[in-house]
Amino acid sequence: MTSSEPTGISAAPRHVPEHIHRRRWAILSVLMLSLLIVVLDNSILNVAMKTIATPAPTGLGATQSQLEWAINSYTLVFAGLLFTSGLLGDRLGRKKVLLFGLVVFGIGSVLAAVSGSPGQLIAFRAVMGLGGAFVMPSTLAVLMNVFERDEQPRAIGIWAGGVGLAIAIGPIAGGLLLDHFWWGSVFLVNVPIVLVALIVMIVLVPDSKDPRPGKLDPLGVLLSVVGLVLLVYGIIKGGQLADFTDPQVLGTVLGGLLVLVGFVLYEKRIDHPSINVNLFRKPAFSAAVGAIALVFFAMMGVTFFIVFYVQSVRGYTPLQAGLLILPLAVAQMIFSPRARHAVDRFGSRVVCSAGMLLVAASMAGFLLLDADTPIWVLEVLFFAQGTGSAHIMPPVTVSIMQSLPREKAGSGSAINNTFRQVGGTLGVAVLGSLLSTVYRDGIDGTLNSVPGLPDAARHAAGESIEATLGVARQLGAAGQRLTAEAHDAFIHAMHVTALASAGVAVLGAVVVAAFLPGRMGEGARGTDRAEQEKAGARS
């Protein structure tokens, strides 16, 4: 028994070679650098949207729909390929897949930076989504294979804290770049990070894969891609139309769900499934997956409207808006690595339920925000939200990843990221649609009273607060009343959306409290480890 082994129980055999074990923290730093790139890019883009919408030469003159697709083309490819990339990592090698993803992401970033039209930007964002889909699951899968089981909760907590770091850096970096350079710099900044990550990863990170991958499952992979793409596209389209009852939306969403049901039924029948769907029969596994989807549904919806509140209603610059998000990111960085201590003391059920309720309370707290509310109130709400999420994501991620044998880490990471991405996409689409609908209902009467405003312009002005403020600026002094009415209508819509987000977070707390297990004792861990090893031998 070495000094690093726990005392008082039988020491579990080490699965990680000693030379890898010694440099595990350095490897984690490299993995976090890779994660930083993917998360950083999305948070930077949110800050740059207003600039990209500005006519050339300042921006590309992108319309609201084109801006949405600049985000959604990435999301569609990213979500559709997450599961497939995890399987390929298990089969071909997680390091190889991670390096491939970084190269593709870097190339896509360069092409996006030099885009000459909104259409090109949309296409090159899809290329970035392809690269990101191969990076995100691989980082977590490599992590699970360089840390022993007893250290995995701590490593996952630090990994989750890296997301908070990226959330903090992204908007600030985006604001600084837009203050000094052209809009394309927000994409070009990815390139040096990619180059550094590639070099260090080649030197430090070991490759790993499933030693017994079994037969290929091409039909299962195809069904998963088609089903996820149809589902996510339908969700996105419903958000754009602000109408989830539209035949095109219903048809696409139902088609995606039917394909995914077919995927599950097919995986249950074959002897070499891509994923063991019986895992979802375990309440703990399903509750963890559901918690991830629900918390991202709620939080991504809030992220969608808070950008407009801070910049359009309160008048802060992109850089200032980025700085205002710091409390959320700082809370995640502080508490994510420490969440395991709370779990050890109180159990996963109590910690995650409390985290969900804190997120819900912070969402409801947005009802306090008005056009002249002291900004420190928003900062407190952000810190509370970051603290709550920091006590949700690490424990549920540990629960998901430790439900699978080490050899299937890519599949586990893919499940984790797929449900997170689908939940976030659904949150932006559904809550964004709610925000748009309530806002239009609130501003239509005022727009109808504006003399000489053509019908087409009136309809366009009701799409968003930015569109309404654009019309108000054209009216000069006469537009001051319209500006005030737009602020009031948006704040009311924001309050309604925040309440809906809080309701989703409360639902997440109920799911976690009902199905997530409490404290897992050492004996249970040993049993679970044995079950994992048996599962690995059978696969």
Side-chain angles (χ1 to χ4, degrees), residues 143-161:
L143 180 155
M144 298 299 290
N145 279 272
V146 299
F147 284 90
E148 296 293 352
R149 185 179 177 84
D150 55 349
E151 284 189 322
Q152 286 171 359
R154 181 184 177 194
I156 288 174
I158 296 172
W159 178 85

Side-chain angles (χ1 to χ4, degrees), residues 69 86 132 270 298 307:
W69 273 111
I270 63 173
V307 171

Side-chain angles (χ1 to χ4, degrees), residues 47 179 310-311 315-322:
V47 175
D179 279 350
V310 170
Q311 295 190 40
Y316 288 97
T317 66
L319 177 57
Q320 290 170 331

